[in-house]
Amino acid sequence: MKKFTVLFTSSGRRVSLIQHFKDTLLNLNLNGKIITTDLKRTSPARFIADEHVTVPRVSSEYYISTLIHICREHNVSLIVPLIDTELGVLSQNKEIFEEIGVTVLVSSPYVNEICFDKRKTAQFFIEAGIDTPIEYDVQEVINQGSIAYPYLIKPAKGSSSVGVYKINNKKELEFFYEYLNEPVLQELVVGEEYTIDVLTDFNGEVITAVPRLRMETRAGEVSKGMTVRNFRLIEKAKEVVAKLPGAVGCITLQCFLTENNEVKFTEINPRFGGGFPLSLEAGADFPRHLIESLLGVKSDLDVNKWRDGLVMLRYDDAIFVNWNEIND
């Protein structure tokens, strides 16, 4: 049995995704294990991993050296980062890990730079000829007394829909312009909101795309969703990712489908999204495809044969542990 260890960084609450990777190693008859890291000892995903390591903050000068030590100690094959703030630093240090035989599931530094800043994302869409909401200069709108309300305002480097507000009038705009850090003002698009999970291989080739209708969200993450085999959305999503230089792994897109059948893209997150378990359950087994690809195994898996109309209704669950298990 070939050894194959997967390290999940910033594992947090991503229990179902990590459990699937764990099951995949078993199903592929790999002698592997799951390692998780997090800043906190109370990370729920810790308790489904084979081993867990508490690490410094991503911004720490010791973060990369700590991960390298973990990789060497546990003979790690693949690193899967799970939050936005670490994608840039891991992409910039990708070659260091490759030198010790570790693959990092992360896109190029340029892709992460585009995706982390909403202003650069919008500029990428415009330059690539991809339809996206119109962006406005806040001061110009305030000074001109625009009557084209409502708008949408959000922080340039935000995530999980934190700090995203509908702006109904000048008074609200003036308040949130001062309240938010580096605010971006956009056209408010009306339509169905979708997340699209796009799989790319380690050479950047687009393999498949799975649109998920965002039926209901909570704290910025989808709580109710449904897979929709809409070929217009699928082809548009593939077009977007194909234009990203150095995209690798799961690329998560956000877009709106308007009443006029226009597809307007708003965000790109180059990692597994929080709602990805829906695509996974529908049959789009990205983890298995990536692992088999990395091992050079010819697979009988067809990730395009995912189930249309599968609905996900999420609910709260919990892991119960003794206090001494957290602090051991």
Side-chain angles (χ1 to χ4, degrees):
M1 295 176 67
K2 183 176 177 62
K3 290 186 177 180
F4 194 94
T5 296
V6 185
L7 169 63
F8 292 91
T9 56
S10 303
S11 54
R13 300 185 298 121
R14 306 298 293 276
V15 173
S16 58
L17 174 64
I18 295 173
Q19 182 64 56
H20 181 81
F21 266 89
K22 191 173 184 178
D23 294 340
T24 299
L25 296 182
L26 182 63
N27 293 336
L28 293 177
N29 199 33
L30 294 171
N31 181 21
K33 61 180 180 179
I34 298 295
I35 311 293
T36 56
T37 68
D38 203 272
L39 177 66
K40 300 178 180 179
R41 292 178 178 271
T42 51
S43 161
R46 166 188 179 180
F47 297 97
I48 65 163
D50 296 301
E51 294 192 44
H52 178 82
V53 183
T54 305
V55 296
R57 290 186 180 278
V58 174
S59 57
S60 168
E61 61 180 306
Y62 303 108
Y63 185 68
I64 293 298
S65 60
T66 300
L67 293 186
I68 290 172
H69 174 75
I70 295 169
C71 288
R72 284 177 168 154
E73 182 180 0
H74 296 282
N75 194 25
V76 170
S77 302
L78 176 67
I79 295 178
V80 182
L82 295 174
I83 63 170
D84 296 331
T85 52
E86 65 182 340
L87 298 177
V89 68
L90 282 171
S91 67
Q92 291 164 8
N93 290 277
K94 189 175 182 178
E95 292 182 359
I96 296 175
F97 290 97
E98 289 175 347
E99 289 173 1
I100 60 172
V102 181
T103 299
V104 185
L105 191 66
V106 68
S107 297
S108 67
Y110 182 59
V111 168
N112 283 290
E113 184 182 343
I114 289 171
C115 301
F116 189 65
D117 190 320
K118 305 294 187 298
R119 295 163 298 191
K120 293 181 179 180
T121 306
Q123 189 61 33
F124 163 75
F125 287 144
I126 293 169
E127 292 177 356
I130 297 162
D131 204 1
T132 190
I134 300 169
E135 192 170 310
Y136 300 93
D137 182 277
V138 178
Q139 283 293 358
E140 285 186 8
V141 173
I142 292 173
N143 295 337
Q144 292 176 2
S146 171
I147 57 172
Y149 292 96
Y151 295 101
L152 188 77
I153 197 168
K154 59 186 178 182
K157 298 178 181 178
S159 62
S160 301
S161 296
V162 175
V164 179
Y165 300 98
K166 179 181 177 182
I167 301 299
N168 297 293
N169 51 58
K170 181 179 178 180
K171 184 176 181 180
E172 290 181 359
L173 180 56
E174 289 175 330
F175 172 80
F176 284 108
Y177 178 58
E178 295 295 329
Y179 177 72
L180 294 176
N181 183 35
E182 299 182 90
V184 174
L185 188 67
Q186 292 182 336
E187 160 194 13
L188 181 69
V189 180
V190 178
E192 293 181 330
E193 187 175 7
Y194 284 85
T195 298
I196 308 178
D197 298 317
V198 183
L199 174 64
T200 60
D201 65 16
F202 291 100
N203 296 315
E205 181 181 348
V206 179
I207 307 299
T208 192
V210 186
R212 299 186 274 110
L213 175 64
R214 293 167 68 91
M215 298 165 62
E216 187 176 295
T217 60
R218 184 175 65 174
E221 194 169 280
V222 63
S223 56
K224 296 177 183 178
M226 180 176 68
T227 55
V228 179
R229 194 176 288 278
N230 181 308
F231 291 102
R232 180 169 174 77
L233 290 175
I234 291 170
E235 292 309 311
K236 286 290 184 181
K238 288 181 176 181
E239 178 187 339
V240 171
V241 176
K243 292 182 178 180
L244 285 172
V248 173
C250 182
I251 309 298
T252 307
L253 307 178
Q254 301 288 134
C255 69
F256 284 89
L257 181 63
T258 71
E259 291 182 352
N260 298 325
N261 206 33
E262 298 173 312
V263 183
K264 295 201 174 190
F265 288 92
T266 57
E267 293 187 24
I268 310 171
N269 294 296
R271 59 170 173 79
F272 285 106
F276 176 72
L278 172 55
S279 294
L280 192 55
E281 185 65 27
D285 198 338
F286 290 16
R288 178 182 160 189
H289 179 94
L290 291 166
I291 291 172
E292 289 184 323
S293 175
L294 197 57
L295 291 172
V297 174
K298 187 175 181 180
S299 177
D300 59 357
L301 172 69
D302 187 348
V303 287
N304 286 292
K305 289 185 177 180
W306 47 270
R307 182 180 168 190
D308 183 27
L310 181 65
V311 177
M312 176 178 69
L313 307 174
R314 302 178 99 173
Y315 63 96
D316 290 330
D317 201 351
I319 290 175
F320 300 93
V321 297
N322 292 320
W323 179 248
N324 59 358
E325 293 180 76
I326 294 176
N327 288 283
D328 59 5

